[in-house]
Amino acid sequence: MGIMSFPLLIMILIAFPLSSSGGKWTYDGPVGEHHWSRNYPYCGGAFQSPINFQPELLRFDPDLQPIQLQDYNLSSKEQLTLSNNGHSVQLSLPSRMHLSGLPHRYSAAQLHFHWGSSNTPTGSEHTINGKQFAAEMHLVHFNSAKYPNISVAVDKSDGLAVLGIFIEVGEFNPAFDQFLKYVNGIKYKGQKVQVAGFNIRELLPARLDEYYRYDGSLTTPPCYPSVLWTVFRNPVSMSLRQYLALATSLFSSQAQESAPMPLFGNYRKTQLMDNRVVLVSFQQDASMNINLSFKLWFEP
Ligand SMILES: *[C@@H]1O[C@H](CO)[C@@H](O)[C@H](O)[C@H]1NC(C)=O
Ligand SMILES: *[C@@H]1O[C@H](CO)[C@@H](O)[C@H](O)[C@H]1NC(C)=O
Ligand SMILES: [Zn+2]
């Protein structure tokens, strides 16, 4: 202790947590998304997510098969961990749950959410032709055919497959209440509660055959470009009360911190396309109908 000068010790204490964890980050302010690439270089790199699904960038691909969910119906005897990680609310998922119909087998790890504020319910990460939904759910899977766990897979180019589900405010959704009713028990960063298993399929839209598919990244630091994205075309709904439970119950700060930081607006802005195209599994029937009515009018 005597050898080290006091300012040097302070410098080490300040610098070490930054270098060991990569650094604190938020969505706004001095460590907000525009500054992520300082500590996390991939965030300033190529193939980033989310993106806007612009009509000009979409290519219909008739070979895209419906997503197949395997072992998604969990028993109520199974305990899942619901936690506040300071950036989102996250539900752990057993790796027995997996996806098929993709180039590899992808096993589930967790699901989490991105959402807006209480008075601005626009917090989805992906957007459809500029339209932002109230919230977005991500079901994160890792390539279990090639990698032993998500920690090893997370930075590999074929490491992850994430399902994105748009959420709009509307009808009450009993499936979300299976865990939203416990958010008051995880108000602060680091808190966890155990939740009984349920049929995770009920959180997804009815149609699993209509989706956007592209190569992208984690939408949070370290932003590794390791994600095969599948974003479903059709949103699911939750009631305004359920949305407000997400948007107003949680803090990004720990319980003992004197200045509580409300957790909302935890979505990243849409990123550049970098010459990517988005494959779509469905034909844009809205524009087809317009073309058809044009034909009927002008080619009698
Ligand atoms: C899910 O599993 C439960 C038993 O754990 C069963 O009662 C229920 O019918 C299953 N649901 C579906 C949609 O298969
Ligand atoms: C993931 O697998 C690697 C290699 O087998 C192992 O070293 C590591 O401890 C595992 N991590 C977790 C979180 O299980
Ligand atoms: Zn996410």
Side-chain angles (χ1 to χ4, degrees):
M1 174 67 191
I3 294 169
M4 215 180 273
S5 72
F6 184 66
L8 181 61
L9 178 62
I10 294 290
M11 273 173 60
I12 289 169
L13 287 175
I14 292 169
F16 186 69
L18 291 178
S19 58
S20 63
S21 67
K24 179 179 147 57
W25 58 271
T26 58
Y27 286 91
D28 277 311
V31 288
E33 58 181 316
H34 298 296
H35 310 285
W36 287 356
S37 60
R38 247 190 274 150
N39 283 319
Y40 304 95
Y42 286 104
C43 298
F47 306 124
Q48 291 295 292
S49 294
I51 57 171
N52 176 31
F53 300 128
Q54 277 174 263
E56 313 84 87
L57 303 171
L58 307 180
R59 302 271 186 282
F60 171 60
D61 180 348
D63 296 329
L64 289 176
Q65 298 300 307
I67 296 294
Q68 289 169 45
L69 311 173
Q70 309 289 352
D71 292 331
Y72 263 49
N73 187 8
L74 303 178
S75 150
S76 57
K77 297 193 190 87
E78 191 147 6
Q79 297 288 298
L80 308 177
T81 302
L82 184 72
S83 60
N84 174 339
N85 62 21
H87 302 294
S88 187
V89 49
Q90 180 168 310
L91 186 67
S92 69
L93 298 172
S95 60
R96 175 177 92 254
M97 278 175 60
H98 65 280
L99 304 176
S100 58
L102 291 170
H104 307 276
R105 176 184 168 127
Y106 288 91
S107 293
Q110 45 100 343
L111 64 84
H112 64 267
F113 296 84
H114 303 268
W115 59 86
S117 67
S118 55
N119 41 23
T120 315
T122 49
S124 73
E125 297 211 293
H126 291 92
T127 56
I128 299 181
N129 200 13
K131 178 186 163 68
Q132 191 176 21
F133 291 82
E136 187 169 329
M137 176 171 69
H138 290 157
L139 287 129
V140 181
H141 301 72
F142 69 96
N143 182 344
S144 52
K146 275 181 89 167
Y147 307 111
N149 57 45
I150 191 162
S151 322
V152 175
V154 69
D155 62 346
K156 306 300 185 295
S157 63
D158 58 357
L160 304 183
V162 181
L163 305 182
I165 290 106
F166 291 122
I167 299 170
E168 62 186 8
V169 171
E171 291 276 293
F172 170 78
N173 191 327
F176 284 116
D177 248 38
Q178 309 257 20
F179 55 92
L180 282 181
K181 62 186 176 194
Y182 300 111
V183 291
N184 283 322
I186 56 158
K187 284 187 153 311
Y188 299 100
K189 180 182 177 179
Q191 294 184 327
K192 295 178 187 348
V193 291
Q194 296 300 110
V195 171
F198 58 99
N199 191 355
I200 305 294
R201 170 70 182 87
E202 293 169 357
L203 300 176
L204 278 75
R207 294 196 67 154
L208 300 179
D209 60 332
E210 295 192 333
Y211 57 82
Y212 302 89
R213 164 68 51 74
Y214 76 102
D215 288 310
S217 74
L218 304 181
T219 66
T220 55
C223 307
Y224 296 129
S226 58
V227 180
L228 181 63
W229 275 99
T230 302
V231 180
F232 293 105
R233 177 193 200 184
N234 300 304
V236 298
S237 74
M238 61 169 57
S239 66
L240 182 59
R241 182 186 287 265
Q242 289 180 308
Y243 174 79
L244 292 175
L246 261 186
T248 66
S249 309
L250 300 160
F251 295 91
S252 60
S253 48
Q254 291 178 312
Q256 63 270 25
E257 288 179 51
S258 53
M261 297 289 294
L263 174 48
F264 63 84
N266 56 346
Y267 60 90
R268 188 186 195 192
K269 290 188 174 62
T270 55
Q271 305 291 305
L272 297 174
M273 283 306 293
D274 300 321
N275 297 317
R276 284 175 291 184
V277 295
V278 176
L279 301 178
V280 286
S281 67
F282 55 91
Q283 303 213 247
Q284 296 281 0
D285 41 27
S287 59
M288 275 169 56
N289 291 343
I290 291 165
N291 289 340
L292 186 62
S293 43
F294 258 88
K295 279 210 162 77
L296 292 174
W297 270 99
F298 296 105
E299 296 169 24

